[in-house]
Amino acid sequence: MDRFLVTGALGSLVGKRGGEANPEDPAGRRGEESSRKRPRAETLPNAGPLASPTWRHIRAEGLSCDYTVLFGKAEADKIFQELEQGVEYFTGSKYVWYPPACSSELPCFTCTGALARVQVFGKWHSVPRKQATYGNAGLTYTFSGLTLSPKPWIPVLEHVRDRVSVATGETFNFVLVNRYKDGCDHIGEHRDDERELAPGSPIASVSFGACRDFFFRHKDSRGKKPSRKVEVVRLQLAHGSLLLMNHPTNTHWYHSLPVRKKILAPRINLTFRKILPIKK
């Protein structure tokens, strides 16, 4: 994946952007520094001054992402435990799958009233992860055929959201939480292109727990007979890391978290979004 990296090394959170590459960096090794500016260090309530993170910029045709390790191990461990104790996940729901009338290899879902099971060719299966939504009052978000109102923010999610906002200069009013109990839990190829998303707004993906592979596949290279061949972009999302998916990434690229049976530890992923309020 080195060929997609166009920025300097990802070292400690303290230091200048760019610099010599770190061979243990899960997002890659070498490249040139981007001209994109990031906010200076700021101070959050109940926290000391924050050093400006060191970013890696990942670029391909129609793909623009920025990656950093935003939380040190001790803080990331603490946040992970607070998420384990505080997040309330959906339970007891069902999806029905209908073969799509398109060339996509992915299933199309319609909701039958709940959120934890899926029916594929007449057989029920558990959704291979746990999910929850939190956000500002008055918002709704639709995915996989369901329109949901998020639960009110809890302190740990507000803390992570605010740190992400300081690091990126972006504001977010909604988060989708996915918990993967081990490497058998996964998510298939999809795009975060729901109509409620503010046009052109980035999506911030923050990971805690087990380091997992993360793939981007161009829309033209999907299926049994792709219209052209575009190389897959492969990343590893580390404990405490932030991946900022900028526009127009979700227009052209699908992403997934594939099965990795050797991974035995859990992972929690937070994807922060900016959702347009309901028009009354």
Side-chain angles (χ1 to χ4, degrees), residues 219-277:
K219 63 181 181 180
D220 293 344
S221 66
R222 301 176 69 247
K224 294 181 179 180
K225 295 181 179 180
S227 60
R228 61 196 184 103
K229 185 176 181 180
V230 182
E231 186 172 352
V232 173
V233 177
R234 296 175 172 85
L235 311 176
Q236 287 186 319
L237 303 183
H239 182 40
S241 67
L242 162 63
L243 178 70
L244 190 67
M245 292 182 281
N246 304 302
H247 181 76
T249 299
N250 274 295
T251 301
H252 304 289
W253 293 77
Y254 286 73
H255 55 271
S256 64
L257 190 87
V259 171
R260 291 294 181 262
K261 293 184 178 180
K262 293 183 179 180
I263 301 293
L264 303 179
R267 170 182 182 262
I268 298 176
N269 177 250
L270 313 176
T271 49
F272 292 92
R273 304 144 194 261
K274 188 172 185 179
I275 303 296
L276 296 174

Side-chain angles (χ1 to χ4, degrees), residues 55-71:
W55 292 89
R56 280 205 171 266
H57 306 291
I58 304 158
R59 302 291 185 264
E61 178 190 337
L63 184 146
S64 171
C65 294
D66 301 311
Y67 178 90
T68 190
V69 176
L70 188 60
F71 299 92

Side-chain angles (χ1 to χ4, degrees), residues 5 42 57 66 71 78 81 95 101 109 122 127 142 158 171 199 201 208 223 260 267 274:
L5 297 172
E42 299 183 24
H57 306 291
D66 301 311
F71 299 92
K78 181 176 183 293
Q81 292 303 321
Y95 288 121
F109 295 98
V127 171
T142 302
E158 289 180 314
T171 58
S201 62
F208 297 99
R260 291 294 181 262
R267 170 182 182 262
K274 188 172 185 179

